[in-house]
Amino acid sequence: MSGPASGNGPVSLDDARWQEVLEATNGDAWPCYQCGTCTAVCPWGRVREEPLNVRKIIRAAQLGVEEDGGMLWLCTSCGACETRCPRGVPIVRVLRALRSLAWKKRQVPKGLPSVLWGLYQDGNPYRLPPSARSDWAKSLEVRRFQAGDEMLLYLGCTASYDRRMQKIARALVRLLREAGVSFGTLGDDEPCCGEAAMALGHAAYAAEIAEANARLFAAKKVRALVAISPHCYDMFLNHTPRLEAGFKTLHYTQVLAELLKAGRLSFKGSVPKRVAFHDPCYLGRRNGEYEAPREVLRHIPGVDLTELAECRENALCCGAGGGRMFLETPAAERFSRLRVRQAGEAGAQILAAACPFCIACLEDSANQIEAGPAVMDVAELALEALGAPAPAPGTAVQGGRQGG
Amino acid sequence: MTENSGGFHTIVCLKVVPRPEEVVVDPQTKTLDRAKARSLVNPPDLNALEMALELKEICGGSVSILSMGPPFFEPYLRLAMSLGADRAYLLSDRTFGGADTLATTYTLAKGIQKIGKWDLALCGEESSDGATAQVPPGLAEWLDAAQVTYAFQMAPADQGRMRVRREVKGGWEELMVSLPAVVSVKGNVNEPRFIDFDRRRWALNDSPVTVWSAADIGAQADLIGFPGSPTTVAGVRQVGGRERRKQFLEGTPEEIARELARLLKTQAGSR
């Protein structure tokens, strides 16, 4: 019999569970010597009475005992713990492995099976019709990707379906056109990257999606893929098999920075505002890209780029990673609330980000406080800086609320 | 209840439907042209299957899937088995084509009789393409079995009966029903479990799918397909989706509220 690892008293060990956990985590939890740094740096400790006890979860994994269910699903996979762990434990990987065991036992929070059904039946976690995937581009006449194109613009589910995030997609289309980049999309046939399955710990399903995507990109002869969401970017970069040797995965901020550097794109307009950049976890900490988005912002005439109190490796998560986008978080417990306050403290009129999940959380929290900053995507700021004539109806990119 | 078998034999009726937003109505034949539409399992049927699988977890027994349709339904039956069903039966014959709910329920009932011993037949409340909700009651009639419609909860009770709660206007009623019984399950009453990937390999390759023709189930020719269907569709019209106006208001919250109120007053219902 296996006793729960919570509460006091003896813990009885279960060899079968130990074996199961060992196989799922591949021994990743072993190096941990229980210093508790992970728990101390976990952002949940700043918004909840009871922090997310990462140390205890890792200990339970080492012993092969059951850990209280709910806690496991709080993790936003922001990776703040991993950057500080003195033993180099891939904590997020361990937690995902434990989630995969929870899937096998069907001990997952309500609502999450529906998210995976969404991926399975509709090709997106929001359960929206696949035939409406490219509706965002109706007024833009974005063409299909053809072999030989410089890059495939990969929208991702959120930028495809979410009205607010569609603005980012439309801004990016205009920027790429301005720079003369030959690109196309997969239209309604664009598949989900599978990150939702990955983040929620359904490794087997995520791997299946990734393999299908790799075959699709190879068949379409895609040489470079540019993703809007850092979550898709991470999925394609780190978890999708690479079938073509030269295949490049890029985040759109990297593409814009490169185009600016090469002189293919230049900003004639200006954005005379104080701007702070919020590092998305999956772009920054997880993939080490801190410069590209800042490079783009620095190119914008008038932008007074400032930094938030916690930035780069120390950036505070928005709260939406690790599948938290699909679970409800009480308003008072949202990390984005702290983040928006930090923007105020930095005197930022605009809080910029480069991730649809971050934008959703930050904007929501900004709207809940008095005189919150305007939340804008880097692509939207870049579009404003183009100084282009007034955009056609339906393609308008609004700056959100005026900051101050 | 099947004596001493340790649980119930539940048959879940499952239909494969076209994605509603992709269906086109053929103006000539007045039938749904599903050729270009992708398919999925009728959503409330997955709720019925979930209820059956939960019952199996509590009481033991087994779950069979029954469907009437063309051979392309088979992968969807295997999907149901990857969720936890044990076997599937597909009633497939060209002569079944064009069936209304009377012919459909006759055919399904013949299928259930051919399967043999059963305790419960669960159906989704209605199909998303037909939306008649006539199949579960029709099935119960052909089988001369008890029936409960719009169930949202079910638990075994004494004397081999089932305690079933069904939705009624403003509340619910609880029924004690003797078996065998046909129960239609409300959509969204539970969250269908996701595919069991360990089970799926078996479900896709080795799980038993039995295909029966009209002759196999001993169906009478005048009761199936077109001949067995007194209902004819006199007219079908496709209603186009409404295009939103996509108007965005700007200004302070007060200005936006005032402008919105003005627009609602002056323009509501003006199209």
Side-chain angles (χ1 to χ4, degrees):
Chain A
M1 232 195 80
S2 156
S6 61
N8 299 319
V11 170
S12 39
L13 305 180
D14 175 346
D15 283 348
R17 167 78 184 171
W18 184 80
Q19 189 65 32
E20 193 179 57
V21 172
L22 177 66
E23 276 167 24
T25 58
N26 199 23
D28 282 342
W30 279 7
C32 170
Y33 57 23
Q34 293 285 292
C35 67
T37 303
C38 46
T39 307
V41 301
C42 176
W44 280 108
R46 296 156 68 167
V47 292
R48 274 167 59 105
E49 282 280 322
E50 194 191 355
L52 167 54
N53 199 331
V54 187
R55 179 196 59 75
K56 204 160 133 190
I57 292 176
I58 299 291
R59 185 62 178 151
Q62 288 177 326
L63 294 173
V65 295
E66 301 272 352
E67 173 56 46
D68 303 352
M71 282 289 198
L72 191 56
W73 300 93
L74 282 177
C75 175
T76 65
S77 67
C78 76
C81 51
E82 285 183 5
T83 53
R84 306 278 181 85
C85 176
R87 300 285 288 155
V89 176
I91 297 168
V92 172
R93 209 157 72 196
V94 174
L95 264 58
R96 278 181 184 162
L98 296 174
R99 285 181 179 184
S100 77
L101 292 178
W103 276 103
K104 287 187 186 201
K105 297 185 177 196
R106 296 205 302 112
Q107 291 168 341
V108 301
K110 212 168 173 294
L112 296 187
S114 298
V115 173
L116 295 194
W117 275 117
L119 299 196
Y120 188 84
Q121 292 185 319
D122 311 316
N124 67 80
Y126 307 114
R127 311 217 74 168
L128 289 164
S131 53
R133 192 167 181 108
S134 59
D135 284 2
W136 66 274
K138 263 183 186 162
S139 56
L140 292 176
E141 291 169 11
V142 179
R143 65 167 174 77
R144 290 287 186 122
F145 176 84
Q146 302 160 357
D149 274 348
E150 224 173 315
M151 54 191 72
L152 166 72
L153 175 59
Y154 179 85
L155 274 293
C157 303
T158 311
S160 293
Y161 288 104
D162 186 296
R163 288 191 65 96
R164 166 67 184 86
M165 307 315 155
Q166 288 171 352
K167 290 183 191 172
I168 305 171
R170 288 194 282 260
L172 203 50
V173 165
R174 298 197 44 209
L175 287 159
L176 292 175
R177 281 182 177 165
E178 180 74 18
V181 174
S182 69
F183 70 97
T185 70
L186 295 176
D188 286 346
D189 298 330
E190 182 184 275
C192 173
C193 69
E195 203 266 339
M198 185 78 183
L200 292 173
H202 206 302
Y205 187 35
E208 191 175 291
I209 295 173
E211 274 162 37
N213 287 346
R215 282 196 300 273
L216 175 72
F217 297 146
K220 297 270 182 197
K221 298 192 169 25
V222 178
R223 289 180 302 177
L225 176 152
V226 52
I228 291 179
S229 168
H231 293 264
C232 309
Y233 168 67
D234 180 68
M235 192 68 196
F236 292 131
L237 188 66
N238 302 316
H239 304 289
T240 304
R242 207 157 302 182
L243 300 180
E244 302 288 323
F247 187 90
K248 269 202 291 195
T249 306
L250 299 159
H251 184 251
Y252 83 84
T253 54
Q254 296 170 327
V255 173
L256 293 185
E258 200 54 48
L259 292 170
L260 287 161
K261 211 165 102 186
R264 291 176 68 183
L265 186 66
S266 60
F267 295 139
K268 291 168 196 79
S270 75
V271 183
K273 293 271 166 69
R274 197 171 167 87
V275 180
F277 180 68
H278 158 85
D279 289 281
C281 304
Y282 275 63
L283 189 61
R285 249 190 313 267
R286 195 153 292 283
N287 289 301
E289 183 58 87
Y290 300 107
E291 278 313 310
R294 287 179 172 80
E295 208 41 54
V296 177
L297 294 174
R298 271 187 221 111
H299 269 89
I300 299 176
V303 161
D304 172 15
L305 187 61
T306 183
E307 291 291 350
L308 297 169
E310 292 168 299
C311 62
R312 296 174 184 264
E313 293 82 355
N314 298 321
L316 173 64
C317 171
C318 75
R324 292 298 308 177
M325 187 68 181
F326 311 109
L327 292 162
E328 189 54 31
T329 306
E333 294 184 7
R334 294 177 188 162
F335 307 163
S336 48
R337 224 168 132 102
L338 303 178
R339 206 58 172 150
V340 166
R341 269 190 224 137
Q342 289 183 355
E345 284 154 21
Q349 294 161 293
I350 293 174
L351 179 56
C355 168
F357 284 179
C358 295
I359 296 280
C361 292
L362 296 172
E363 197 162 71
D364 205 45
S365 290
N367 286 338
Q368 286 174 16
I369 61 169
E370 279 294 314
V375 174
M376 287 181 80
D377 192 272
V378 170
E380 294 172 321
L381 280 162
L383 179 67
E384 226 173 87
L386 272 187
T395 62
V397 173
Q398 291 161 351
R401 303 190 315 157
Q402 292 309 299
Chain B
M1 180 169 176
T2 319
E3 288 304 322
N4 301 324
S5 68
F8 303 95
H9 177 207
T10 307
I11 298 172
V12 177
C13 297
L14 185 145
K15 187 181 185 184
V16 180
V17 294
R19 298 193 71 99
E21 72 276 8
E22 294 181 7
V23 171
V24 185
V25 173
D26 185 328
Q28 301 296 302
T29 62
K30 291 169 187 160
T31 54
L32 305 181
D33 179 9
R34 48 154 73 201
K36 288 186 199 80
R38 282 167 280 198
S39 299
L40 41 80
V41 174
N42 181 45
D45 296 357
L46 284 179
N47 296 113
L49 176 57
E50 180 60 31
M51 201 179 260
L53 294 175
E54 281 168 14
L55 192 68
K56 180 182 150 183
E57 276 168 358
I58 298 166
C59 310
S62 71
V63 175
S64 300
I65 302 292
L66 175 67
S67 189
M68 179 185 89
F72 86 82
F73 276 24
E74 192 179 312
Y76 298 89
L77 306 187
R78 293 193 183 278
L79 173 70
M81 286 189 280
S82 75
L83 301 186
D86 300 282
R87 64 193 80 82
Y89 301 91
L90 177 61
L91 311 178
S92 197
D93 197 311
R94 283 190 172 278
T95 58
F96 293 151
D100 66 3
T101 54
L102 184 68
T104 300
T105 49
Y106 169 74
T107 310
L108 290 173
K110 292 301 278 183
I112 288 176
Q113 282 164 348
K114 171 87 175 171
I115 291 171
K117 228 168 161 45
W118 62 285
D119 301 299
L120 278 162
L122 300 191
C123 308
E125 58 172 321
E126 63 178 32
S127 62
S128 63
D129 58 345
T132 65
Q134 290 168 358
V135 167
L139 197 53
E141 285 303 310
W142 286 109
L143 293 166
D144 197 20
Q147 59 166 297
V148 182
T149 49
Y150 306 112
F152 64 93
Q153 217 178 66
M154 193 166 64
D158 56 353
Q159 297 161 21
R161 294 180 302 175
M162 258 318 145
R163 186 190 302 272
V164 187
R165 282 189 186 173
R166 69 186 292 263
E167 202 177 270
V168 292
K169 211 167 193 177
W172 47 264
E173 60 185 27
E174 189 171 271
L175 304 172
M176 295 290 276
V177 59
S178 45
L179 305 183
V182 178
V183 177
S184 91
V185 178
K186 274 293 285 180
N188 298 318
V189 291
N190 51 35
E191 185 178 29
R193 65 195 62 194
F194 191 58
I195 300 162
D196 178 340
F197 272 59
D198 293 335
R199 192 181 173 88
R200 194 171 59 156
R201 188 183 299 272
W202 165 82
L204 291 182
N205 303 307
D206 306 319
S207 66
V209 177
T210 307
V211 182
W212 282 331
S213 66
D216 291 332
I217 56 172
Q220 243 176 272
D222 59 337
L223 294 178
I224 57 171
F226 271 121
S229 300
T231 319
T232 49
V233 180
V236 177
R237 196 164 60 92
Q238 187 139 19
V239 182
R242 247 193 186 194
E243 201 42 42
R244 303 260 172 192
R245 287 187 211 177
K246 293 174 185 159
Q247 257 174 283
F248 291 90
L249 306 180
E250 294 198 22
T252 64
E254 290 76 13
E255 288 165 358
I256 292 174
R258 243 193 306 278
E259 178 62 7
L260 178 63
R262 191 189 67 78
L263 287 173
L264 287 173
K265 263 190 217 153
T266 56
Q267 294 187 16
S270 67
R271 58 165 68 207

